[in-house]
Amino acid sequence: MSKYNYTMKYPMKKTTIFILPIIFVLLFQMRALGQNTECASDYIHNNRMQTDAVYRKQIDRLELQLEASIQNDTNASLRSTIYSIPVVVHVIHLGEPIGTGINISDLQIQQAIAGLNDRFRNVNGLGVDVELEFCLASKDPNGNSTNGINRVNGASVLNYATNGITPTGNPCSGAVETTIKDLSRWPVSDYYNIWVVSEICNGGFVGYASYPVGGLYDGLVIVSTSMTSNSGTLPHEVGHGFFLYHTFNGDGGNVSCPVDTNCAINGDRICDTPPHKQGDCVVTNPCTTAGVWDNSRYNYMSYCPLVNRFTQGQKDRVRATAIAAPRASLLTSVGCEAVGINERGISSRFSIFPNPAQSVINVGVDIKLIGSVYVIYDNTGKIILNGKITSENIMIELDNLSAGIYLFSLGEHLKQTFIVLKE
């Protein structure tokens, strides 16, 4: 967050001329109490949409998949399931003792994750329960016991001590993002990575998250001062990580009201968060009188103060994202299971690729799933295909399937959606 120092020395008779500056500072401070004022996620996303054709194609495909999933209620059978996401927190400090400076304490991190869960589970009762929980990993990638917190001294990385980290594609002069993340990162298929850093672009931002397209460096970056139990930054950035946009998405940088011809594909693509401009946080919404205004101005994905809720529309989008690639693999991770209790880890892991697919899908499974029966359902719940897993990698032909969203099921609990595209 940018730092402001104001020194005002006006004669008493001129007090009226600095009322507006004081109001501006108070509003800035109020916004900071409820929600941080600068998030780099959209900056990075928009830049990649313009410059990276592969990324743009991935996002467009995922949007198509989510739209169909939500519209057809593909995940109805999983609606009551509480999804658990293993988290690992990498603290990139500057050599401070644990509990001081950037090297924040275990307790602060644990409280931050607890606060994150409170918001996604709607503990305050003001929004909806997303039924998504985050647990600090208890098992590392090698199967060893862990508290889900890694600490690494990043002081030797060029520019980190002076300017913090630079998001990829940003021209600021901090440390290279991939260099910082390479200091400590765990497989994104099994853990949601959170990097706690000193600064982002010398204080220009307080956090950012990767939209869900996968990759070695997928995850969330947050400054140490915002990794707290009462900060809105962590749920905000996790929201981005599960494909939520800002509630003011499409406002052109606080310039104009977002287009809202079709709420499913315009703005933030959520129909119960009325469109607004970034700076519109007052009693009435200047952009529209439709919908529940409090759902946007008090939303965790806005920049307004006193944020306190996610909505049903956001819940549907987050949960549709959670059961789609690449986030779906997190639901079968054993990262939060106790060391030595590996029955689920041995018997429940599988992957589908490519996703989206056209004529075939490849299914990779753990060895103990061999012999299991698989079932493919369409979006009405009708069984389309079924068969038996005969090896650790099998190929299933999809020539007879029309374009659409399908659910692949193994047993009672192992499910993953996939999309079929036809030329």
Side-chain angles (χ1 to χ4, degrees):
M1 185 178 296
S2 301
K3 301 173 179 63
Y4 293 84
N5 293 308
Y6 289 87
T7 303
M8 298 183 180
K9 297 181 180 179
Y10 296 112
M12 288 299 293
K13 65 180 181 180
K14 295 183 180 179
T15 52
T16 55
I17 69 172
F18 60 87
I19 289 176
L20 288 178
I22 289 176
I23 291 174
F24 172 81
V25 175
L26 289 175
L27 286 174
F28 180 90
Q29 292 173 336
M30 286 174 62
R31 288 176 63 189
L33 287 173
Q35 177 58 56
N36 295 296
T37 57
E38 290 296 340
C39 158
S41 298
D42 273 1
Y43 175 91
I44 298 166
H45 169 69
N46 293 334
N47 179 65
R48 293 193 67 183
M49 288 292 285
Q50 295 170 14
T51 62
D52 187 337
V54 174
Y55 178 85
R56 184 169 60 252
K57 190 173 183 178
Q58 289 175 305
I59 290 292
D60 290 343
R61 283 180 171 176
L62 184 56
E63 287 287 8
L64 176 64
Q65 182 175 355
L66 297 193
E67 182 183 352
S69 178
I70 293 169
Q71 180 179 351
N72 296 312
D73 207 16
T74 303
N75 58 337
S77 63
L78 300 177
R79 189 181 299 140
S80 62
T81 303
I82 298 173
Y83 299 145
S84 182
I85 308 296
V87 169
V88 56
V89 177
H90 312 279
V91 180
I92 313 300
H93 58 83
L94 294 172
E96 306 98 325
I98 294 177
T100 61
I102 301 153
N103 202 5
I104 56 178
S105 68
D106 288 1
L107 178 60
Q108 181 175 330
I109 293 169
Q110 291 159 357
Q111 290 175 336
I113 299 300
L116 173 67
N117 284 328
D118 285 350
R119 288 160 174 80
F120 271 84
R121 295 305 310 274
N122 190 39
V123 168
N124 64 18
L126 298 173
V128 300
D129 181 357
V130 181
E131 295 183 297
L132 192 72
E133 293 183 349
F134 301 86
C135 53
L136 283 167
S138 57
K139 182 184 295 185
D140 73 13
N142 296 317
N144 300 315
S145 180
T146 179
N147 66 355
I149 301 171
N150 290 332
R151 300 177 184 276
V152 181
N153 190 335
S156 62
V157 178
L158 183 65
N159 294 327
Y160 182 62
T162 53
N163 295 318
I165 189 174
T166 297
T168 299
N170 192 291
C172 68
S173 57
V176 176
E177 176 181 17
T178 54
T179 302
I180 290 295
K181 289 184 174 181
D182 278 337
L183 295 174
S184 181
R185 57 182 171 85
W186 286 4
V188 299
S189 59
D190 294 309
Y191 304 91
Y192 189 71
N193 287 264
I194 297 176
W195 288 272
V196 175
V197 300
S198 58
E199 291 181 298
I200 302 170
C201 284
N202 197 24
F205 303 104
V206 293
Y208 63 93
S210 311
Y211 281 82
V213 296
L216 295 176
Y217 302 99
D218 182 21
L220 181 159
V221 177
I222 187 170
V223 297
S224 60
T225 52
S226 291
M227 188 67 176
T228 63
S229 62
N230 60 2
S231 170
T233 302
L234 189 56
H236 180 101
E237 299 304 340
V238 170
H240 285 314
F242 281 80
F243 218 12
L244 294 182
Y245 294 110
H246 290 134
T247 52
F248 51 83
N249 190 53
D251 73 344
N254 203 36
V255 172
S256 58
C257 293
V259 174
D260 194 36
T261 305
N262 182 344
C263 61
I265 61 174
N266 297 145
D268 66 351
R269 297 176 179 257
I270 304 293
C271 288
D272 56 7
T273 54
H276 68 112
K277 298 194 299 295
Q278 174 181 326
D280 292 338
C281 300
V282 291
V283 176
T284 58
N285 184 359
C287 289
T288 180
T289 58
V292 179
W293 174 220
D294 284 356
N295 279 351
S296 290
R297 67 171 178 149
Y298 292 145
N299 198 284
Y300 292 123
M301 302 310 296
S302 78
Y303 276 4
C304 296
L306 308 178
V307 292
N308 57 30
R309 71 190 66 185
F310 289 114
T311 68
Q312 182 63 48
Q314 290 174 316
K315 173 181 180 175
D316 293 342
R317 185 174 172 89
V318 165
R319 291 176 66 80
T321 299
I323 61 173
R327 295 286 178 254
S329 64
L330 294 172
L331 301 183
T332 54
S333 169
V334 297
C336 282
E337 293 187 356
V339 174
I341 303 177
N342 56 14
E343 179 181 353
R344 178 181 169 215
I346 292 175
S347 63
S348 70
R349 299 173 61 110
F350 76 99
S351 61
I352 296 175
F353 60 95
N355 187 9
Q358 290 190 340
S359 58
V360 299
I361 56 171
N362 296 282
V363 180
V365 303
D366 283 321
I367 191 169
K368 286 203 172 181
L369 281 173
I370 295 175
S372 300
V373 173
Y374 69 82
V375 181
I376 295 178
Y377 301 88
D378 68 10
N379 56 33
T380 68
K382 179 182 177 181
I383 296 177
I384 303 299
L385 289 172
N386 59 65
K388 184 173 289 188
I389 301 296
T390 56
S391 67
E392 291 181 74
N393 290 282
I394 67 168
M395 184 176 68
I396 301 174
E397 295 186 358
L398 307 175
D399 290 336
N400 296 326
L401 272 64
S402 58
I405 302 294
Y406 295 85
L407 182 68
F408 184 95
S409 174
L410 273 177
E412 290 294 321
H413 305 292
L414 309 179
K415 299 177 174 67
Q416 184 174 329
T417 58
F418 66 96
I419 185 170
V420 175
L421 301 175
K422 294 291 185 180
E423 296 292 347

